[in-house]
Amino acid sequence: VKVPRDLKLPAAHVATAERVDTLGRKIIGQNTFTGIEPMFHTLGVPEAVLFHRGTEELFVSEGLVAKCKTDAELAAVLCAELGQMMAEK
């Protein structure tokens, strides 16, 4: 999991980035009808941040991931942003 070069933000801890990437890929794998396969980027900032660029990239901050106590909560956050991506597609 990488931070795009043009963002200049600190990288997240590996365990957090792996949690986001694994869960994000699982969600996409179970919902193939969406037709999107974004890269999941985890940013190493304490603020709660969630945004996307087109249908190719989804960004979530370590601070927001930390607020999600369970994978179900994190999945809900990721699904909400994936829904926005689909709506804009």
Side-chain angles (χ1 to χ4, degrees), residues 52-75:
H52 64 273
R53 286 187 184 172
T55 58
E56 295 82 34
E57 298 177 294
L58 187 148
F59 300 85
V60 61
S61 68
E62 213 165 14
L64 183 54
V65 173
K67 289 181 183 227
C68 298
K69 302 301 181 204
T70 66
D71 280 352
E73 289 178 2
L74 180 55

PDB file of all heavy atoms in Angstrom, residues 52-75:
ATOM      1  N   HIS A  52     -11.910  10.015  -2.139  1.00  0.00           N
ATOM      2  CA  HIS A  52     -11.506   9.189  -3.275  1.00  0.00           C
ATOM      3  C   HIS A  52     -11.171  10.073  -4.461  1.00  0.00           C
ATOM      4  O   HIS A  52     -11.516  11.252  -4.489  1.00  0.00           O
ATOM      5  CB  HIS A  52     -12.614   8.195  -3.656  1.00  0.00           C
ATOM      6  CG  HIS A  52     -13.871   8.847  -4.133  1.00  0.00           C
ATOM      7  ND1 HIS A  52     -14.860   9.253  -3.268  1.00  0.00           N
ATOM      8  CD2 HIS A  52     -14.292   9.178  -5.371  1.00  0.00           C
ATOM      9  CE1 HIS A  52     -15.839   9.798  -3.972  1.00  0.00           C
ATOM     10  NE2 HIS A  52     -15.521   9.768  -5.250  1.00  0.00           N
ATOM     11  N   ARG A  53     -10.476   9.465  -5.404  1.00  0.00           N
ATOM     12  CA  ARG A  53     -10.160  10.115  -6.683  1.00  0.00           C
ATOM     13  C   ARG A  53     -10.719   9.225  -7.772  1.00  0.00           C
ATOM     14  O   ARG A  53     -10.224   8.120  -7.989  1.00  0.00           O
ATOM     15  CB  ARG A  53      -8.659  10.241  -6.887  1.00  0.00           C
ATOM     16  CG  ARG A  53      -7.993  11.288  -6.070  1.00  0.00           C
ATOM     17  CD  ARG A  53      -6.567  11.397  -6.512  1.00  0.00           C
ATOM     18  NE  ARG A  53      -5.839  12.333  -5.682  1.00  0.00           N
ATOM     19  CZ  ARG A  53      -4.535  12.505  -5.760  1.00  0.00           C
ATOM     20  NH1 ARG A  53      -3.822  11.820  -6.622  1.00  0.00           N
ATOM     21  NH2 ARG A  53      -3.945  13.371  -4.980  1.00  0.00           N
ATOM     22  N   GLY A  54     -11.738   9.693  -8.421  1.00  0.00           N
ATOM     23  CA  GLY A  54     -12.361   8.899  -9.474  1.00  0.00           C
ATOM     24  C   GLY A  54     -12.809   7.551  -8.940  1.00  0.00           C
ATOM     25  O   GLY A  54     -13.292   7.458  -7.811  1.00  0.00           O
ATOM     26  N   THR A  55     -12.628   6.520  -9.740  1.00  0.00           N
ATOM     27  CA  THR A  55     -12.953   5.168  -9.279  1.00  0.00           C
ATOM     28  C   THR A  55     -11.681   4.343  -9.100  1.00  0.00           C
ATOM     29  O   THR A  55     -11.744   3.142  -8.893  1.00  0.00           O
ATOM     30  CB  THR A  55     -13.879   4.443 -10.278  1.00  0.00           C
ATOM     31  OG1 THR A  55     -13.238   4.403 -11.551  1.00  0.00           O
ATOM     32  CG2 THR A  55     -15.226   5.131 -10.380  1.00  0.00           C
ATOM     33  N   GLU A  56     -10.535   5.009  -9.150  1.00  0.00           N
ATOM     34  CA  GLU A  56      -9.259   4.298  -9.074  1.00  0.00           C
ATOM     35  C   GLU A  56      -8.629   4.276  -7.695  1.00  0.00           C
ATOM     36  O   GLU A  56      -7.841   3.380  -7.395  1.00  0.00           O
ATOM     37  CB  GLU A  56      -8.248   4.917 -10.054  1.00  0.00           C
ATOM     38  CG  GLU A  56      -8.621   4.760 -11.506  1.00  0.00           C
ATOM     39  CD  GLU A  56      -9.612   5.822 -11.960  1.00  0.00           C
ATOM     40  OE1 GLU A  56      -9.528   6.955 -11.462  1.00  0.00           O
ATOM     41  OE2 GLU A  56     -10.487   5.512 -12.779  1.00  0.00           O
ATOM     42  N   GLU A  57      -8.912   5.257  -6.849  1.00  0.00           N
ATOM     43  CA  GLU A  57      -8.223   5.359  -5.562  1.00  0.00           C
ATOM     44  C   GLU A  57      -9.169   5.778  -4.442  1.00  0.00           C
ATOM     45  O   GLU A  57      -9.964   6.695  -4.616  1.00  0.00           O
ATOM     46  CB  GLU A  57      -7.102   6.396  -5.644  1.00  0.00           C
ATOM     47  CG  GLU A  57      -6.018   6.057  -6.647  1.00  0.00           C
ATOM     48  CD  GLU A  57      -4.976   7.148  -6.732  1.00  0.00           C
ATOM     49  OE1 GLU A  57      -5.324   8.262  -7.182  1.00  0.00           O
ATOM     50  OE2 GLU A  57      -3.840   6.890  -6.313  1.00  0.00           O
ATOM     51  N   LEU A  58      -9.030   5.115  -3.306  1.00  0.00           N
ATOM     52  CA  LEU A  58      -9.782   5.463  -2.105  1.00  0.00           C
ATOM     53  C   LEU A  58      -8.764   5.697  -0.996  1.00  0.00           C
ATOM     54  O   LEU A  58      -7.851   4.898  -0.811  1.00  0.00           O
ATOM     55  CB  LEU A  58     -10.731   4.331  -1.728  1.00  0.00           C
ATOM     56  CG  LEU A  58     -11.697   4.620  -0.587  1.00  0.00           C
ATOM     57  CD1 LEU A  58     -12.998   3.876  -0.802  1.00  0.00           C
ATOM     58  CD2 LEU A  58     -11.112   4.283   0.750  1.00  0.00           C
ATOM     59  N   PHE A  59      -8.912   6.798  -0.275  1.00  0.00           N
ATOM     60  CA  PHE A  59      -7.983   7.186   0.774  1.00  0.00           C
ATOM     61  C   PHE A  59      -8.701   7.227   2.120  1.00  0.00           C
ATOM     62  O   PHE A  59      -9.787   7.801   2.225  1.00  0.00           O
ATOM     63  CB  PHE A  59      -7.413   8.582   0.494  1.00  0.00           C
ATOM     64  CG  PHE A  59      -6.667   8.678  -0.794  1.00  0.00           C
ATOM     65  CD1 PHE A  59      -7.334   8.923  -1.988  1.00  0.00           C
ATOM     66  CD2 PHE A  59      -5.304   8.509  -0.827  1.00  0.00           C
ATOM     67  CE1 PHE A  59      -6.649   9.010  -3.185  1.00  0.00           C
ATOM     68  CE2 PHE A  59      -4.600   8.590  -2.024  1.00  0.00           C
ATOM     69  CZ  PHE A  59      -5.277   8.839  -3.207  1.00  0.00           C
ATOM     70  N   VAL A  60      -8.095   6.644   3.121  1.00  0.00           N
ATOM     71  CA  VAL A  60      -8.634   6.677   4.477  1.00  0.00           C
ATOM     72  C   VAL A  60      -7.465   6.931   5.429  1.00  0.00           C
ATOM     73  O   VAL A  60      -6.361   6.440   5.211  1.00  0.00           O
ATOM     74  CB  VAL A  60      -9.393   5.365   4.821  1.00  0.00           C
ATOM     75  CG1 VAL A  60      -8.490   4.159   4.742  1.00  0.00           C
ATOM     76  CG2 VAL A  60     -10.064   5.457   6.176  1.00  0.00           C
ATOM     77  N   SER A  61      -7.703   7.719   6.453  1.00  0.00           N
ATOM     78  CA  SER A  61      -6.625   8.044   7.385  1.00  0.00           C
ATOM     79  C   SER A  61      -6.538   7.020   8.506  1.00  0.00           C
ATOM     80  O   SER A  61      -7.512   6.346   8.849  1.00  0.00           O
ATOM     81  CB  SER A  61      -6.852   9.425   7.993  1.00  0.00           C
ATOM     82  OG  SER A  61      -7.979   9.403   8.849  1.00  0.00           O
ATOM     83  N   GLU A  62      -5.353   6.943   9.064  1.00  0.00           N
ATOM     84  CA  GLU A  62      -5.128   6.065  10.201  1.00  0.00           C
ATOM     85  C   GLU A  62      -6.017   6.473  11.381  1.00  0.00           C
ATOM     86  O   GLU A  62      -6.508   5.623  12.111  1.00  0.00           O
ATOM     87  CB  GLU A  62      -3.653   6.138  10.603  1.00  0.00           C
ATOM     88  CG  GLU A  62      -3.118   4.868  11.135  1.00  0.00           C
ATOM     89  CD  GLU A  62      -1.603   4.849  11.182  1.00  0.00           C
ATOM     90  OE1 GLU A  62      -0.940   5.893  11.047  1.00  0.00           O
ATOM     91  OE2 GLU A  62      -1.085   3.751  11.379  1.00  0.00           O
ATOM     92  N   GLY A  63      -6.259   7.773  11.521  1.00  0.00           N
ATOM     93  CA  GLY A  63      -7.127   8.259  12.585  1.00  0.00           C
ATOM     94  C   GLY A  63      -8.543   7.737  12.458  1.00  0.00           C
ATOM     95  O   GLY A  63      -9.162   7.349  13.456  1.00  0.00           O
ATOM     96  N   LEU A  64      -9.076   7.692  11.237  1.00  0.00           N
ATOM     97  CA  LEU A  64     -10.422   7.174  11.026  1.00  0.00           C
ATOM     98  C   LEU A  64     -10.460   5.659  11.241  1.00  0.00           C
ATOM     99  O   LEU A  64     -11.391   5.145  11.846  1.00  0.00           O
ATOM    100  CB  LEU A  64     -10.925   7.536   9.627  1.00  0.00           C
ATOM    101  CG  LEU A  64     -12.348   7.120   9.287  1.00  0.00           C
ATOM    102  CD1 LEU A  64     -13.346   7.638  10.323  1.00  0.00           C
ATOM    103  CD2 LEU A  64     -12.721   7.592   7.901  1.00  0.00           C
ATOM    104  N   VAL A  65      -9.440   4.972  10.773  1.00  0.00           N
ATOM    105  CA  VAL A  65      -9.374   3.520  10.975  1.00  0.00           C
ATOM    106  C   VAL A  65      -9.346   3.203  12.473  1.00  0.00           C
ATOM    107  O   VAL A  65     -10.014   2.279  12.936  1.00  0.00           O
ATOM    108  CB  VAL A  65      -8.151   2.904  10.261  1.00  0.00           C
ATOM    109  CG1 VAL A  65      -8.000   1.434  10.609  1.00  0.00           C
ATOM    110  CG2 VAL A  65      -8.269   3.091   8.756  1.00  0.00           C
ATOM    111  N   ALA A  66      -8.615   3.990  13.242  1.00  0.00           N
ATOM    112  CA  ALA A  66      -8.518   3.768  14.686  1.00  0.00           C
ATOM    113  C   ALA A  66      -9.865   3.937  15.388  1.00  0.00           C
ATOM    114  O   ALA A  66     -10.133   3.290  16.402  1.00  0.00           O
ATOM    115  CB  ALA A  66      -7.487   4.712  15.297  1.00  0.00           C
ATOM    116  N   LYS A  67     -10.718   4.796  14.844  1.00  0.00           N
ATOM    117  CA  LYS A  67     -12.047   5.003  15.425  1.00  0.00           C
ATOM    118  C   LYS A  67     -12.968   3.816  15.169  1.00  0.00           C
ATOM    119  O   LYS A  67     -13.974   3.646  15.854  1.00  0.00           O
ATOM    120  CB  LYS A  67     -12.686   6.271  14.872  1.00  0.00           C
ATOM    121  CG  LYS A  67     -12.025   7.525  15.378  1.00  0.00           C
ATOM    122  CD  LYS A  67     -12.696   8.761  14.825  1.00  0.00           C
ATOM    123  CE  LYS A  67     -11.944   9.967  15.301  1.00  0.00           C
ATOM    124  NZ  LYS A  67     -12.798  11.004  15.814  1.00  0.00           N
ATOM    125  N   CYS A  68     -12.640   3.015  14.166  1.00  0.00           N
ATOM    126  CA  CYS A  68     -13.436   1.831  13.828  1.00  0.00           C
ATOM    127  C   CYS A  68     -12.946   0.668  14.690  1.00  0.00           C
ATOM    128  O   CYS A  68     -11.893   0.105  14.432  1.00  0.00           O
ATOM    129  CB  CYS A  68     -13.295   1.493  12.348  1.00  0.00           C
ATOM    130  SG  CYS A  68     -13.885   2.794  11.255  1.00  0.00           S
ATOM    131  N   LYS A  69     -13.716   0.344  15.693  1.00  0.00           N
ATOM    132  CA  LYS A  69     -13.289  -0.687  16.650  1.00  0.00           C
ATOM    133  C   LYS A  69     -13.378  -2.094  16.078  1.00  0.00           C
ATOM    134  O   LYS A  69     -12.686  -2.997  16.520  1.00  0.00           O
ATOM    135  CB  LYS A  69     -14.110  -0.600  17.940  1.00  0.00           C
ATOM    136  CG  LYS A  69     -14.014   0.739  18.630  1.00  0.00           C
ATOM    137  CD  LYS A  69     -12.579   1.070  18.993  1.00  0.00           C
ATOM    138  CE  LYS A  69     -12.506   2.406  19.697  1.00  0.00           C
ATOM    139  NZ  LYS A  69     -11.221   3.048  19.593  1.00  0.00           N
ATOM    140  N   THR A  70     -14.229  -2.296  15.094  1.00  0.00           N
ATOM    141  CA  THR A  70     -14.385  -3.627  14.504  1.00  0.00           C
ATOM    142  C   THR A  70     -14.230  -3.534  12.989  1.00  0.00           C
ATOM    143  O   THR A  70     -14.340  -2.453  12.409  1.00  0.00           O
ATOM    144  CB  THR A  70     -15.779  -4.217  14.821  1.00  0.00           C
ATOM    145  OG1 THR A  70     -16.769  -3.418  14.155  1.00  0.00           O
ATOM    146  CG2 THR A  70     -16.053  -4.262  16.318  1.00  0.00           C
ATOM    147  N   ASP A  71     -14.010  -4.684  12.385  1.00  0.00           N
ATOM    148  CA  ASP A  71     -13.946  -4.705  10.926  1.00  0.00           C
ATOM    149  C   ASP A  71     -15.290  -4.347  10.309  1.00  0.00           C
ATOM    150  O   ASP A  71     -15.344  -3.777   9.221  1.00  0.00           O
ATOM    151  CB  ASP A  71     -13.490  -6.084  10.427  1.00  0.00           C
ATOM    152  CG  ASP A  71     -11.975  -6.260  10.523  1.00  0.00           C
ATOM    153  OD1 ASP A  71     -11.266  -5.272  10.821  1.00  0.00           O
ATOM    154  OD2 ASP A  71     -11.504  -7.388  10.294  1.00  0.00           O
ATOM    155  N   ALA A  72     -16.379  -4.649  11.009  1.00  0.00           N
ATOM    156  CA  ALA A  72     -17.707  -4.293  10.500  1.00  0.00           C
ATOM    157  C   ALA A  72     -17.853  -2.773  10.420  1.00  0.00           C
ATOM    158  O   ALA A  72     -18.411  -2.250   9.444  1.00  0.00           O
ATOM    159  CB  ALA A  72     -18.795  -4.893  11.376  1.00  0.00           C
ATOM    160  N   GLU A  73     -17.364  -2.059  11.414  1.00  0.00           N
ATOM    161  CA  GLU A  73     -17.421  -0.596  11.382  1.00  0.00           C
ATOM    162  C   GLU A  73     -16.559  -0.043  10.255  1.00  0.00           C
ATOM    163  O   GLU A  73     -16.978   0.856   9.526  1.00  0.00           O
ATOM    164  CB  GLU A  73     -16.959  -0.013  12.718  1.00  0.00           C
ATOM    165  CG  GLU A  73     -17.932  -0.230  13.853  1.00  0.00           C
ATOM    166  CD  GLU A  73     -17.425   0.328  15.173  1.00  0.00           C
ATOM    167  OE1 GLU A  73     -16.326   0.928  15.222  1.00  0.00           O
ATOM    168  OE2 GLU A  73     -18.128   0.158  16.177  1.00  0.00           O
ATOM    169  N   LEU A  74     -15.362  -0.596  10.101  1.00  0.00           N
ATOM    170  CA  LEU A  74     -14.484  -0.141   9.028  1.00  0.00           C
ATOM    171  C   LEU A  74     -15.086  -0.470   7.668  1.00  0.00           C
ATOM    172  O   LEU A  74     -15.033   0.344   6.742  1.00  0.00           O
ATOM    173  CB  LEU A  74     -13.095  -0.766   9.166  1.00  0.00           C
ATOM    174  CG  LEU A  74     -12.064  -0.376   8.109  1.00  0.00           C
ATOM    175  CD1 LEU A  74     -11.902   1.137   8.011  1.00  0.00           C
ATOM    176  CD2 LEU A  74     -10.735  -1.054   8.398  1.00  0.00           C
ATOM    177  N   ALA A  75     -15.697  -1.637   7.544  1.00  0.00           N
ATOM    178  CA  ALA A  75     -16.353  -2.017   6.282  1.00  0.00           C
ATOM    179  C   ALA A  75     -17.465  -1.034   5.940  1.00  0.00           C
ATOM    180  O   ALA A  75     -17.626  -0.651   4.776  1.00  0.00           O
ATOM    181  CB  ALA A  75     -16.903  -3.438   6.373  1.00  0.00           C
TER     182      ALA A  75
END
